[in-house]
Amino acid sequence: MGRQAIVLNKSLSEMAGALNSNLSAAEKLNFLVQVASRSLGVRGCSLMLLDAKRKKLIHAATYGLSDRYLRAGLVEADRSLPEVMDGKTAVVVDTASDPRVQFGDMARQEKIASIIGVPVMCRGKVVGSLRAYNRIRREFTAAEEEYLITVANLAATVLESSGARVSAEGSVSTEAKTTLRRPAVRSPVRTVSFAHPSEEDFARLLDFYQIEWVYEPRSFMLEWEGDRVTEMFTPDFYLPGLDLYIEMTTLKPGLTSEKNRKVRRLRDLHPDIKIKLLARRDYDRLLAKYGHGPLAGAKTEGVGRTLFSADQIQMRVRQLAKEISQDYEGRRILLVGVLRGVLCFMADLMRYLEVSADMDFMALSYYGAGNGGEAVQITKDLDVGPDDRHVLLVEDIVDTGMTLSFVLAHLEARHPASLAVCTLLDKRVRRLTDVPLAYVGFEVPDEFLVGYGLDYREEYRNLPFIALVKQQGKEGDTAG
Ligand code: IMP
Ligand code: MG
């Protein structure tokens, strides 16, 4: 056996040992790429997982590559070493001349001259790619290729045993949201170190609602002079399921206008990219809703300005009922309410309906109710099966949309004949996840509302009108 063969063999037994240990999935994957990189004597290695819907590869574990290189951009699966997606090995002997290298300039700056990529396969499907990056221009030997394929297989074993699921198209993700498990393979499995605690809070909130996220997923080039990049921008989060980037502004107000400028520039350069700027204040309000963050303890001084009087509400509910009755003529509706805020609206709505309707209720655990770290749970499910029924989900208010998208996924999985949403209030400016709303009573501003079923810490539900909560020293402003 040659020297390299001995080294490679030894490293495989080291890896097998690590797989048997009680390391986390992330630690195991990081260990695999690190040992592989050292044993091959290359510049670095990376394991990327496929986001099949968007056809992007996302770095899950890396070794030896600079942050700058990792943030060059999201790797396009059909453009960068595309043969790998067909289950084949791809070798780039010279990154300077090979069109299959997506970030050629960056590779050269990183002193990567050649690359080998092999597929990571789970149950016959390509779910990602394992790559080794070399400093010198060269072919890779058959033994090296075989070695990498073995390491890719080990990585696949780690992914499978971590509870990750492989979708029909080959995305590694967790099972349907209804399994109520925290995503096992969430974006970069490498340990995330957040720049700011509020970002970590936000990531926890996303975890709770089972929304996949990637922290600082990529950098966009904003300005350049010739070959030299003079300005880059790295959004804080990417939510693959929503295809949405999120940039959070920090405490320093001076930076906000700077970020606004960068986001505008990004939108100009990439009009196809969806990015949402979450201002510090909006973000604090969002967290306060769940009892977290600096605004959570804000004192209130009772009820402020009335937004909708009891008469206005009744008039609008009657109109909604009329529309619904026309749309559902000849069909029997199953009204499904999400407890508890919906109580008043549901009771009024059903009394104005002119078609026959059954009703049922669901209840969910709430982020911040002492179980912030876990995933959202259905604490009361339907008594009536929604299968083959015309389900109309009735909501008091849709805010971020996270609750609703969870409930919709749960209901859809049970095959109703039809499924639509009717909400009395739509706080559209705070929407994070797009949810289809068939019937909307009123669009409302980003203020905390109470009355007609809506509560602030279990107060004010019994008011017959809808009003703002008055915050101490601030007329009619939000309290959380
Ligand atoms: P989402 O998941 O962010 O859309 O949250 C929806 C839930 O948050 C609603 O069903 C309400 O229980 C609660 N919520 C959102 N905004 C308000 C508000 O202004 N007043 C009272 N409850 C609210
Ligand atoms: Mg609700």
Side-chain angles (χ1 to χ4, degrees):
M1 238 196 285
R3 208 188 85 80
Q4 192 192 31
I6 296 170
V7 171
L8 295 185
N9 257 331
K10 188 161 163 283
S11 85
L12 288 179
S13 76
E14 252 182 90
M15 290 179 189
L19 258 55
N20 246 329
S21 71
N22 55 8
L23 292 175
S24 69
E27 289 165 335
K28 286 176 185 171
L29 294 177
N30 277 313
F31 185 80
L32 294 186
V33 293
Q34 177 180 342
V35 173
S37 179
R38 287 198 176 138
S39 310
L40 288 168
V42 291
R43 167 88 168 79
C45 274
S46 82
L47 177 86
M48 291 185 278
L49 295 180
L50 177 67
D51 174 354
K53 211 162 94 199
R54 301 193 64 223
K55 301 208 165 77
K56 308 276 186 205
L57 290 163
I58 295 170
H59 291 288
T62 63
Y63 181 77
L65 302 171
S66 74
D67 262 13
R68 185 149 185 267
Y69 182 68
L70 293 175
R71 291 186 189 164
L74 284 188
V75 180
E76 315 264 351
D78 337 329
R79 182 165 157 217
S80 169
L81 282 65
E83 306 91 309
V84 173
M85 288 302 114
D86 299 326
K88 298 192 197 105
T89 299
V91 175
V92 171
V93 178
D94 183 0
T95 56
S97 58
D98 200 311
R100 293 169 302 162
V101 179
Q102 193 183 334
F103 303 106
D105 289 351
M106 294 293 265
R108 252 164 284 141
Q109 282 177 29
E110 189 80 0
K111 303 210 172 14
I112 293 170
S114 52
I115 305 176
I116 179 170
V118 300
V120 177
M121 318 266 295
C122 282
R123 275 168 255 131
K125 290 209 176 74
V126 179
V127 300
S129 171
L130 178 67
R131 294 184 180 184
Y133 306 85
N134 214 341
R135 288 184 193 82
I136 47 171
R137 235 167 269 155
R138 70 162 172 95
E139 289 283 353
F140 289 81
T141 65
E144 286 172 326
E145 179 187 352
E146 198 186 324
Y147 170 79
L148 269 180
I149 291 172
T150 308
V151 178
N153 281 329
L154 294 178
T157 313
V158 173
L159 291 170
E160 294 202 34
S161 63
S162 74
R165 295 275 184 285
V166 181
S167 74
E169 325 87 72
S171 266
V172 182
S173 67
T174 46
E175 193 50 276
K177 292 168 180 153
T178 43
T179 58
L180 304 178
R181 267 185 310 105
R182 207 182 141 149
V185 173
R186 211 184 37 213
S187 30
V189 219
R190 84 189 123 110
T191 16
V192 179
S193 47
F194 291 96
H196 197 276
S198 63
E199 295 169 347
E200 191 169 348
D201 264 351
F202 185 62
R204 281 214 203 96
L205 179 64
L206 295 172
D207 273 353
F208 185 81
Y209 287 102
Q210 313 259 292
I211 295 171
E212 271 188 284
W213 52 269
V214 187
Y215 183 61
E216 299 192 333
R218 64 173 285 190
S219 294
F220 294 91
M221 296 179 198
L222 294 185
E223 307 291 344
W224 51 89
E225 282 160 21
D227 259 4
R228 208 168 64 86
V229 179
T230 52
E231 185 170 36
M232 303 261 269
F233 173 55
T234 311
D236 296 317
F237 286 92
Y238 175 62
L239 315 181
L242 310 174
D243 190 12
L244 176 70
Y245 289 89
I246 291 189
E247 173 63 11
M248 296 170 54
T249 62
T250 49
L251 280 167
K252 298 193 193 84
L255 288 177
T256 308
S257 53
E258 172 69 6
K259 286 202 172 164
N260 275 318
R261 183 186 63 77
K262 287 190 172 187
V263 168
R264 268 201 308 276
R265 173 84 180 135
L266 178 67
R267 286 186 179 135
D268 285 347
L269 290 172
H270 303 274
D272 52 317
I273 280 180
K274 281 197 285 173
I275 179 160
K276 194 178 160 79
L277 194 77
L278 207 55
R280 178 76 205 184
R281 185 168 165 70
D282 298 335
Y283 171 67
D284 284 345
R285 287 172 176 214
L286 178 66
L287 276 188
K289 171 180 151 184
Y290 305 101
H292 290 250
L295 297 182
K299 293 262 185 313
T300 57
E301 288 180 338
V303 173
R305 186 161 66 84
T306 297
L307 223 54
F308 306 106
S309 70
D311 284 348
Q312 279 173 313
I313 296 171
Q314 290 306 312
M315 226 158 71
R316 187 69 189 120
V317 174
R318 203 184 303 222
Q319 284 168 350
L320 285 175
K322 198 163 173 188
E323 264 180 66
I324 294 168
S325 303
Q326 281 163 2
D327 294 349
Y328 283 83
E329 206 186 320
R331 290 185 284 172
R332 192 178 177 89
I333 309 179
L334 173 61
L335 297 172
V336 172
V338 180
L339 292 172
R340 288 170 286 183
V342 78
L343 192 87
C344 297
F345 178 42
M346 181 97 149
D348 285 340
L349 184 74
M350 74 177 302
R351 274 180 285 186
Y352 294 126
L353 283 179
E354 289 152 22
V355 286
S356 40
D358 299 298
M359 70 161 164
D360 203 349
F361 294 96
M362 285 175 67
L364 301 176
S365 67
Y366 193 60
Y367 183 79
N371 52 3
E374 322 251 314
V376 58
Q377 304 260 357
I378 295 173
T379 53
K380 185 216 168 296
D381 206 343
L382 298 180
D383 296 323
V384 183
D387 324 60
D388 304 319
R389 310 287 296 261
H390 295 285
V391 176
L392 183 63
L393 187 70
V394 185
E395 268 280 21
D396 46 355
I397 181 164
V398 181
D399 185 5
T400 63
M402 292 195 288
T403 312
L404 187 56
S405 60
F406 176 82
V407 173
L408 285 177
H410 175 78
L411 290 174
E412 258 157 22
R414 295 172 69 176
H415 310 293
S418 68
L419 179 59
V421 180
C422 170
T423 183
L424 179 64
L425 306 174
D426 180 5
K427 210 185 267 184
R428 198 163 298 172
V429 289
R430 289 232 295 200
R431 196 64 37 81
L432 282 178
T433 77
D434 258 332
V435 274
L437 303 178
Y439 308 94
V440 174
F442 305 100
E443 197 175 317
V444 294
D446 183 9
E447 300 286 356
F448 201 84
L449 310 173
V450 292
Y452 196 62
L454 295 171
D455 72 304
Y456 174 70
R457 296 180 192 159
E458 295 306 324
E459 284 297 327
Y460 314 120
R461 281 196 201 277
N462 55 336
L463 299 175
F465 52 87
I466 293 174
L468 307 183
V469 172
K470 208 193 281 172
Q471 200 185 320
Q472 224 170 40
K474 258 188 154 184
E475 183 66 25
D477 202 358
T478 174

